[in-house]
Structures are given as C-alpha cells and as structure tokens.
Amino acid sequence: YGIEKLGIQRFIAKIKTHNQPSLNLFQKLGFTIQKTVEVFQEVHLAFSPSNVEEFRNQMSYVITKTI
C-alpha cells in the first residue's frame, strides 16, 4: 500500500544497537546500515525497493524462510 498508493520510495528503521535479533531481521529483509548513532545507541537502516514486485518477493522470501 505504501509503495503503490502513497509513493513511498524509502523505508527507514532505527534499532537499538544491542537488539541484534531485530538488526538481523531487518538486514534479511534487505535493509542496509546507513549509520550508527552512538549517543542514542541506535543503528539506522534503510531500504529502497526499486519496484513493488521486488519488495513483495523479498518480504515473502524472508517470511517463508523464517517460518
């Protein structure tokens, strides 16, 4: 919905540096680390799907592999 209807082109996630399970999950989803902010103990990750189909395929793959 966000990509098709709202025109969202980039997703950002801010995750605490000690939350390794969440960092692993988002990287499996295709997010890449943009920066680490030590003062807030956060890692900023971003994902920019080139198209809706790529995004759907990536999400389906990770969900299926995780289950």
Side-chain angles (χ1 to χ4, degrees):
Y1 180 85
I3 297 170
E4 293 175 343
K5 303 293 183 188
L6 301 177
I8 295 173
Q9 297 177 1
R10 187 172 181 188
F11 296 90
I12 303 292
K14 295 180 180 181
I15 301 172
K16 293 292 186 183
T17 53
H18 65 272
N19 191 347
Q20 196 59 52
S22 290
L23 290 169
N24 292 342
L25 174 65
F26 275 80
Q27 288 179 305
K28 285 180 184 177
L29 291 171
F31 283 72
T32 56
I33 295 175
Q34 301 297 300
K35 64 181 175 179
T36 300
V37 182
E38 293 298 329
V39 71
F40 295 117
Q41 298 180 354
E42 289 180 339
V43 177
H44 293 192
L45 301 101
F47 179 70
S48 301
S50 59
N51 61 53
V52 176
E53 197 59 37
E54 173 195 354
F55 184 72
R56 284 187 183 139
N57 289 340
Q58 184 66 18
M59 296 303 121
S60 296
Y61 171 75
V62 171
I63 291 169
T64 303
K65 189 172 179 183
T66 304
I67 297 174

